[in-house]
Amino acid sequence: MDRTEKLTRETKETKVTVELNLDGSGKNDIDIGYKFMNHMLTLFSRHGNIDLNIKASGDLTHHVIEDVGITLGQCILKALGDKKGINRYGSALIPMDESLARCAIDFCGRKALILDLKLNEECNIEDVAVEDIKHFFNSFAENAKMNLHLEVLYGSNDHHKTEAAFKALARSIKQAKTIVSDEIPSTKGIL
Ligand SMILES: [Mn+2]
């Protein structure tokens, strides 16, 4: 089964290209123009065992990060195909020094988002605003049509909290995408 996908999304605001292999080893080439998000998406690829190339450019930080979330979510949804045999659910509890993140996901075909990253809303993290990071997870969950419950339980450093959250999401996806049977994992027969 081939679980590779490539999508280009171009609007008057941004141009985003995402290319991925869900059955990869975590190789990546990522440049969306913002160093902190490059760092987060690189470790997302590595910890999710997803080969991931992303190139993005555009007018405003908010637009670029939002549109990367949209395109990455769409690309994962397409690559999952009919979801036959996948584990469907995934969860992870990931520390990053003093911070702890908890994630639980369901590739159920519907968006739900519970997000509590406990970030300082007034501050940027490196070159990215906290509201843009929160918006990324919203766009991603909506377009991957998934339930995403992502919370930082505690921590004091906003870089660590965000990094723990991205790693917890990646480890959850790694579990949820794994092929464990030859059935659609739903009593409805469709996901
Ligand atoms: Mn870091």
Side-chain angles (χ1 to χ4, degrees), residues 76-146:
I76 286 180
L77 182 66
K78 274 193 89 181
L80 284 169
D82 64 3
K83 301 179 184 170
K84 194 175 171 187
I86 66 167
N87 199 47
R88 178 178 164 181
Y89 298 98
S91 61
L93 193 60
I94 300 290
M96 167 86 201
D97 295 346
E98 86 301 333
S99 297
L100 186 71
R102 179 179 65 195
C103 184
I105 67 167
D106 179 5
F107 281 128
C108 59
R110 300 179 306 276
K111 179 222 176 179
L113 178 67
I114 304 294
L115 186 69
D116 179 12
L117 302 179
K118 294 190 171 60
L119 299 172
N120 184 345
E121 305 284 337
E122 278 85 56
C123 291
N124 279 24
I125 307 176
E126 309 293 345
D127 56 349
V128 172
V130 163
E131 64 176 12
D132 294 338
I133 293 167
K134 290 167 66 179
H135 200 48
F136 172 88
F137 288 116
N138 182 69
S139 301
F140 179 77
E142 189 163 291
N143 286 278
K145 296 192 166 115
M146 68 195 290

Side-chain angles (χ1 to χ4, degrees), residues 39-95:
H39 178 38
M40 293 301 111
L41 292 164
T42 299
L43 58 86
F44 172 84
S45 159
R46 177 57 58 90
H47 289 281
N49 271 31
I50 298 168
D51 291 346
L52 184 61
N53 297 338
I54 308 179
K55 291 284 170 288
S57 59
D59 54 358
L60 300 172
T61 314
H62 177 100
H63 292 154
V64 172
I65 293 174
E66 175 178 17
D67 291 356
V68 168
I70 290 171
T71 313
L72 181 59
Q74 286 175 348
C75 213
I76 286 180
L77 182 66
K78 274 193 89 181
L80 284 169
D82 64 3
K83 301 179 184 170
K84 194 175 171 187
I86 66 167
N87 199 47
R88 178 178 164 181
Y89 298 98
S91 61
L93 193 60
I94 300 290

Side-chain angles (χ1 to χ4, degrees), residues 36 39-40 43 96 159-160 163 167:
F36 185 67
H39 178 38
M40 293 301 111
L43 58 86
M96 167 86 201
H159 182 129
H160 293 167
E163 187 160 337
K167 285 176 175 170

